């Protein structure tokens, strides 16, 4: 897998064939932020408030919509309005992992109707390529251009089995569905694990577990700082409790935004 990390987001936006990827890079450049806020909040009021308060400082809002106790259409309609207001994308961290027929129903129907409001979703390829095929077919069938998939190639939890052959298979399957798969959730660049098969290959790296204060938690989560994550080849930094659980979430979001953008600029300048 080829890394485009030496290029600016603006350069990558111009060359990238995926409409959603272009939009993401353009948002990042426009707002000068590569922060993805992992908003693991359990009520609609809390979720919408944090989205509105921190929206100006993020490129993407990552949700776990199934943990919202009072979920209704008002939840997603509110998120969509706020995303438009503050110019960010919505990433539903659903981690689809089932047979294709079930995944299509989970993505486009049911109570959550994820396809209607989430710009980005992710999936594990543990069931095989059918899970990605199912999502890809739904995107193509609905003819909505601003939808995309991330493959969960690695995880930050201690003892994760998403390593080795699983990670290599994640890249192989991503290449089969490159029209809809725009990148990976992983801890670092995958260039060493899966060398490029095409010069113009440009998968986006989303690194989870970014925290400027803690190294981990009691349940096995392991953190990176914005500097270490960017040095490892990350493009977008997923941060959660370090921001929304802070006594001053807005100040924390500003701090993470600055740290992440500084690390990005340093990497680009080092490549000049």
């Amino acid at each position: 897998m080829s890394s485009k990390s030496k290029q600016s987001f603006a350069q990558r936006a111009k060359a990238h064939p995926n409409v959603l990827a272009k939009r993401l890079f353009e948002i990042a450049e426009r707002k000068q932020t590569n922060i993805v806020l992992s908003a693991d909040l359990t009520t609609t009021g809390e979720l919408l408030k944090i989205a509105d308060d921190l929206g100006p400082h993020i490129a993407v809002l990552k949700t776990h919509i199934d943990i919202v106790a009072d979920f209704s259409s008002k939840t997603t309609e509110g998120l969509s309005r706020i995303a438009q207001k503050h110019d960010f994308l919505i990433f539903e961290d659903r981690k689809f992992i089932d047979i294709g027929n079930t995944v299509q129903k989970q993505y486009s129907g049911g109570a959550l109707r994820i396809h209607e409001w989430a710009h980005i979703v992710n999936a594990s390829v543990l069931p095989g390529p059918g899970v990605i095929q199912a999502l890809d077919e739904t995107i193509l069938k609905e003819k909505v251009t601003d939808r995309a998939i991330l493959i969960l190639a690695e995880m930050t939890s201690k003892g994760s089995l998403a390593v080795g052959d699983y990670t290599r298979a994640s890249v192989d399957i991503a290449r089969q569905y490159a029209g809809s798969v725009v990148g990976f959730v992983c801890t670092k660049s995958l260039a060493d694990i899966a060398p490029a098969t095409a010069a113009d290959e440009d998968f986006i790296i989303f690194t989870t577990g970014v925290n400027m204060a803690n190294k981990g938690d009691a349940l096995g989560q392991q953190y990176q700082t914005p500097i270490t994550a960017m040095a490892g080849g990350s493009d977008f930094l997923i941060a959660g409790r370090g921001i929304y659980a802070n006594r001053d979430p807005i100040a924390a979001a500003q701090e993470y935004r600055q740290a992440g953008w500084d690390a990005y600029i340093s990497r680009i300048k080092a490549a000049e």
Side-chain angles (χ1 to χ4, degrees):
M1 190 177 73
S2 175
S3 171
K4 297 286 186 177
S5 62
K6 294 180 181 180
Q7 296 182 3
S8 70
F9 290 157
Q11 290 172 315
R12 294 168 72 178
K14 289 180 181 179
H16 209 290
N18 184 277
V19 171
L20 193 282
K22 286 179 179 290
R23 184 176 170 191
L24 175 58
F25 285 135
E26 288 167 355
I27 288 172
E29 283 284 2
R30 189 159 53 242
K31 298 178 69 176
Q32 296 192 354
T33 180
N34 58 355
I35 296 299
V36 179
L37 174 64
S38 181
D40 299 337
L41 299 162
T42 58
T43 70
T44 295
E46 290 175 313
L47 181 58
L48 297 186
K49 185 178 189 309
I50 208 74
D52 201 16
D53 288 348
L54 305 188
H57 310 293
I58 64 174
V60 181
L61 179 76
K62 184 173 78 69
T63 59
H64 281 293
I65 209 67
D66 57 354
I67 70 172
V68 178
D70 60 345
F71 172 82
S72 72
S73 61
K74 293 181 180 180
T75 310
T76 52
E77 289 169 1
L79 283 176
S80 296
R81 285 195 300 270
I82 295 168
Q84 185 173 17
K85 172 184 176 182
H86 293 304
D87 193 21
F88 63 76
L89 301 181
I90 303 172
F91 166 19
E92 166 55 18
D93 191 0
R94 179 61 180 77
K95 297 184 178 73
F96 291 101
I97 182 171
D98 213 315
I99 62 171
N101 183 60
T102 299
V103 165
Q104 284 186 330
K105 293 175 181 177
Q106 291 172 325
Y107 183 35
S108 61
L112 303 181
R113 308 191 68 83
I114 296 168
H115 179 265
E116 294 183 1
W117 52 270
H119 302 98
I120 304 168
V121 293
N122 62 352
S124 166
V125 298
L126 188 61
V131 63
I132 304 301
Q133 179 185 352
L135 296 169
D136 175 71
E137 286 181 357
T138 302
I139 292 171
L140 294 176
K141 179 182 177 182
E142 298 296 332
K143 298 180 180 179
V144 179
T145 58
D146 62 343
R147 297 291 184 267
I149 307 162
L150 296 175
I151 291 180
L152 186 66
E154 295 179 322
M155 295 187 71
T156 55
S157 50
K158 186 177 181 181
S160 169
L161 302 181
V163 296
D165 289 343
Y166 170 86
T167 303
R168 281 186 284 274
S170 297
V171 178
D172 290 341
I173 293 171
R175 288 171 176 153
Q176 294 176 43
Y177 296 96
S180 296
V181 177
V182 296
F184 304 95
V185 177
C186 49
T187 62
K188 59 188 178 303
S189 168
L190 302 180
D192 292 339
I193 296 174
T197 58
D200 60 349
E201 186 173 84
D202 187 8
F203 288 115
I204 305 170
I205 302 299
F206 284 66
T207 297
T208 190
V210 174
N211 193 301
M212 296 175 66
N214 296 320
K215 294 183 178 180
D217 68 12
L219 296 177
Q221 172 68 296
Q222 301 175 100
Y223 292 123
Q224 296 192 65
T225 68
I227 293 174
T228 59
M230 292 301 294
S234 177
D235 296 309
F236 289 87
L237 309 175
I238 303 175
R241 283 171 282 181
I243 297 177
Y244 74 78
N246 191 283
R247 287 183 296 178
D248 187 344
I250 294 176
Q254 292 172 331
E255 182 181 10
Y256 275 74
R257 173 188 184 178
Q258 192 63 56
W261 197 252
D262 286 348
Y264 157 73
I265 293 297
S266 293
R267 187 172 73 187
I268 299 306
K269 288 184 175 179
E272 293 178 348

